[in-house]
Amino acid sequence: MPTASKGVLVRCDPSIRALILQIDLTSRGIVLQELDSTHLMIKQEMVQFVKDELNRLLLKNIYDPMDGDKQ
């Protein structure tokens, strides 16, 4: 018998989709369904966690020229 889960439809570009799938690998159960290359269904209660993790990953990959001046 099918079961229902509350989810949120996420539309994003393929690079963000790959990051969300990477987050799902470390914290299993976030992604309910991979719909296509730009859409995912994720658990409703995990939306803020995914946003926070995406921000953390994206900030880690941003070049800051001022970092070289700190010594």
Side-chain angles (χ1 to χ4, degrees):
M1 175 173 234
T3 59
S5 298
K6 286 187 179 183
V8 175
L9 178 64
V10 176
R11 184 179 67 186
C12 54
D13 62 22
S15 62
I16 297 298
R17 180 183 181 272
L19 289 174
I20 294 172
L21 293 175
Q22 179 182 351
I23 294 168
D24 186 56
L25 287 176
T26 59
S27 303
R28 294 303 277 167
I30 294 172
V31 176
L32 296 173
Q33 185 76 38
E34 297 179 45
L35 303 173
D36 60 27
S37 65
T38 59
H39 293 88
L40 295 168
M41 183 71 71
I42 65 171
K43 285 185 177 177
Q44 184 177 7
E45 62 270 11
M46 299 302 285
V47 171
Q48 191 59 48
F49 175 76
V50 170
K51 285 181 181 180
D52 293 342
E53 286 297 304
L54 279 174
N55 285 330
R56 186 183 64 78
L57 288 171
L58 292 173
L59 285 174
K60 186 171 75 171
N61 292 320
I62 292 176
Y63 173 71
D64 184 3
M66 301 307 281
D67 281 346
D69 293 340
K70 297 177 186 173
Q71 291 182 354

